Amino acid sequence: MANNMEYDYLIVGAGFFGSVCARELTDSGKKCLVIDRRSHLGGNCYTSNKGGIHVHEFGCHIFHTSNEELWAYVNRFAEFNNFKYHGVARVDNEFYSLPFNMWTFQQVYGSRNPVEAREAIRNHGEGIEEPRNLEEQAIMMVGRPVYEKLIKWYTEKQWGRPATELPKEIIQRLPIRFTFDSNYFNDVYQGIPIGGYTSIFDKLLSGVEVKTSVDYKANKAFFDGVAKHTIYTGAIDEFFDYKYGELEYKTTRFFHKMMDTRDAQGAAVINYPSRDVEYTRIIEHKHFDWVETDFTILTQEYPERYVAGKTEPYYPVNDAQNNAKYLLYKELADGLHNMSFGGRLAEYKYYDMDDVIGSALNFVKTLK
């Protein structure tokens, strides 16, 4: 491959943002090269096939959206089943319904109807009206007993810091229902791609030149010379050699194991909020896209301290300090010519899958 600007676009990263950009730009007649540091497509949405079970290697991903156009778009590349996520939490030998709904409030408060549930939450809300952090936000939303039993330790395990030091916006993502509806998401369209997520990326990148196991940063001088424009979807602080310091992320270690049983836990995901359990949840993958096998595959998720360059960055810690640091990096990025930044890591943003696809589609319109 000669250093002669033979591509219109170099796209760094084969996750959703990069892959959607590649598809749209290729379809508009542009020549693209997609590279990824990992050995596979799909970023954290990558699924492997192990004996017919599609394993979500980097944590479960459930597609959900209320945007009809985005739903139609993603259905161009996959057929979805009708999976809906009904959350379960295990504390000692008791099981609780998630997200927080009338089942949960009945179990914790003995509430028999929405009026009693709201009253119980108000009585246990400690009079908080202007929450300053995640703990106060959660207590205001569901009362201290629910917070202590189902939120506090899970959250502190997951993020590696006290809930009083976490931004309240994290918990605001969780739905609170005063009905007996345990469907986790409120979106109209939900499901898992039949055949796993990897099949989506195979189709998104069909006819596009792709190179995996290639490190852009290690070969930056070369790759900066092969395309007229670069779309970078990696970590923005890494791109600028951590000039303003490292941005913080939540990261996770995954422990996969096979069991000689048809069904081990009866649910796709069971959360473990207890302080004395190291992992945060166990995933049983075959429940996402059921196949008849005599074995099953489970994944335990262990929170891990993020170390830039050594562990994978998953979710940004969007507190005031990190967001301020990100804006310094964004200012540097905005000053570069023929270079664009997009996606979860480059924008330091907590994206759902439909949001990142929508962001990529909107971004590409500015390029065509």
Side-chain angles (χ1 to χ4, degrees):
M1 181 165 52
N3 193 347
N4 60 0
M5 295 288 185
E6 62 178 292
Y7 299 96
D8 295 301
Y9 290 93
L10 169 70
I11 300 171
V12 182
F16 264 121
F17 192 93
S19 298
V20 169
C21 288
R23 178 75 275 142
E24 295 301 299
L25 290 168
T26 299
D27 288 349
S28 69
K30 303 298 183 181
K31 187 176 182 182
C32 299
L33 170 64
V34 177
I35 62 173
D36 199 290
R37 186 157 55 190
R38 296 180 179 183
S39 61
H40 57 77
L41 306 180
N44 292 338
C45 291
Y46 169 69
T47 51
S48 63
N49 187 333
K50 296 181 178 177
I53 297 176
H54 296 101
V55 177
H56 297 217
E57 293 284 348
F58 302 100
C60 67
H61 290 81
I62 301 157
F63 196 91
H64 56 97
T65 186
S66 290
N67 187 313
E68 188 174 356
E69 291 184 7
L70 280 178
W71 181 244
Y73 181 83
V74 77
N75 272 266
R76 287 172 48 191
F77 307 101
E79 179 182 356
F80 283 77
N81 62 21
N82 63 353
F83 178 86
K84 289 182 173 59
Y85 176 33
H86 296 268
V88 180
R90 179 175 178 175
V91 180
D92 298 323
N93 289 318
E94 296 182 324
F95 293 83
Y96 295 85
S97 178
L98 298 176
F100 307 115
N101 62 77
M102 282 302 301
W103 289 113
T104 323
F105 302 138
Q106 194 283 325
Q107 289 171 289
V108 177
Y109 296 127
S111 306
R112 296 167 295 182
N113 55 59
V115 173
E116 292 183 2
R118 291 179 190 275
E119 183 179 2
I121 291 170
R122 194 162 47 246
N123 291 339
H124 293 283
E126 302 180 357
I128 297 170
E129 294 183 0
E130 295 294 334
R132 296 166 296 178
N133 51 55
L134 187 149
E135 177 170 287
E136 292 184 357
Q137 179 71 49
I139 291 170
M140 185 184 76
M141 289 167 61
V142 295
R144 182 171 285 278
V146 173
Y147 167 72
E148 294 283 352
K149 185 178 288 287
L150 298 174
I151 299 175
K152 177 178 172 60
W153 300 118
Y154 184 92
T155 300
E156 295 188 353
K157 284 192 295 185
Q158 191 177 44
W159 292 93
R161 61 174 63 185
T164 53
E165 296 179 9
L166 289 167
K168 61 184 179 182
E169 288 76 15
I170 293 174
I171 199 70
Q172 288 173 343
R173 293 171 54 88
L174 297 180
I176 307 294
R177 296 203 188 95
F178 293 93
T179 67
F180 287 93
D181 179 8
S182 63
N183 180 10
Y184 198 91
F185 300 110
N186 293 320
D187 291 302
V188 177
Y189 308 106
Q190 302 179 39
I192 301 289
I194 297 172
Y197 279 95
T198 299
S199 62
I200 293 181
F201 294 95
D202 289 338
K203 292 178 182 177
L204 276 170
L205 295 170
S206 176
V208 180
E209 186 173 350
V210 179
K211 295 183 180 296
T212 55
S213 301
V214 172
D215 190 335
Y216 168 77
K217 283 286 291 178
N219 301 277
K220 188 175 184 300
F222 171 76
F223 282 114
D224 283 347
V226 303
K228 300 171 186 175
H229 192 107
T230 297
I231 300 171
Y232 182 82
T233 72
I236 193 169
D237 56 340
E238 180 186 2
F239 180 88
F240 290 107
D241 298 317
Y242 309 104
K243 179 177 181 177
Y244 299 117
E246 298 174 6
L247 292 169
E248 289 183 276
Y249 288 89
K250 179 177 77 70
T251 191
T252 305
R253 175 169 51 89
F254 302 96
F255 177 71
H256 306 291
K257 64 179 180 180
M258 185 180 296
M259 294 183 64
D260 291 327
T261 183
R262 184 172 178 272
D263 188 353
Q265 64 181 23
V269 182
I270 295 183
N271 292 337
Y272 287 80
S274 301
R275 184 181 190 177
D276 58 350
V277 178
E278 286 187 60
Y279 44 83
T280 53
R281 62 183 183 177
I282 298 179
I283 300 169
E284 187 168 10
H285 300 272
K286 69 190 304 182
H287 285 279
F288 293 125
D289 187 8
W290 186 266
V291 289
E292 292 293 339
T293 60
D294 292 330
F295 68 96
T296 190
I297 297 174
L298 303 177
T299 299
Q300 294 172 329
E301 296 189 2
Y302 293 84
E304 194 170 58
R305 187 173 71 89
Y306 172 68
V307 180
K310 295 183 179 180
T311 54
E312 286 292 336
Y314 290 116
Y315 301 107
V317 182
N318 289 122
D319 59 15
Q321 182 179 356
N322 281 296
N323 287 342
K325 193 181 297 183
Y326 162 71
L327 290 177
L328 296 175
Y329 284 119
K330 185 178 185 302
E331 186 176 1
L332 292 179
D334 290 343
L336 297 178
H337 297 290
N338 302 320
M339 188 92 193
S340 299
F341 293 75
R344 175 178 56 91
L345 299 178
E347 297 179 61
Y348 198 64
K349 190 171 183 179
Y350 194 122
Y351 268 127
D352 284 331
M353 287 181 284
D354 63 328
D355 292 328
V356 76
I357 291 170
S359 177
L361 290 172
N362 289 331
F363 165 73
V364 167
K365 291 175 184 177
T366 69
L367 299 176
K368 291 183 180 179

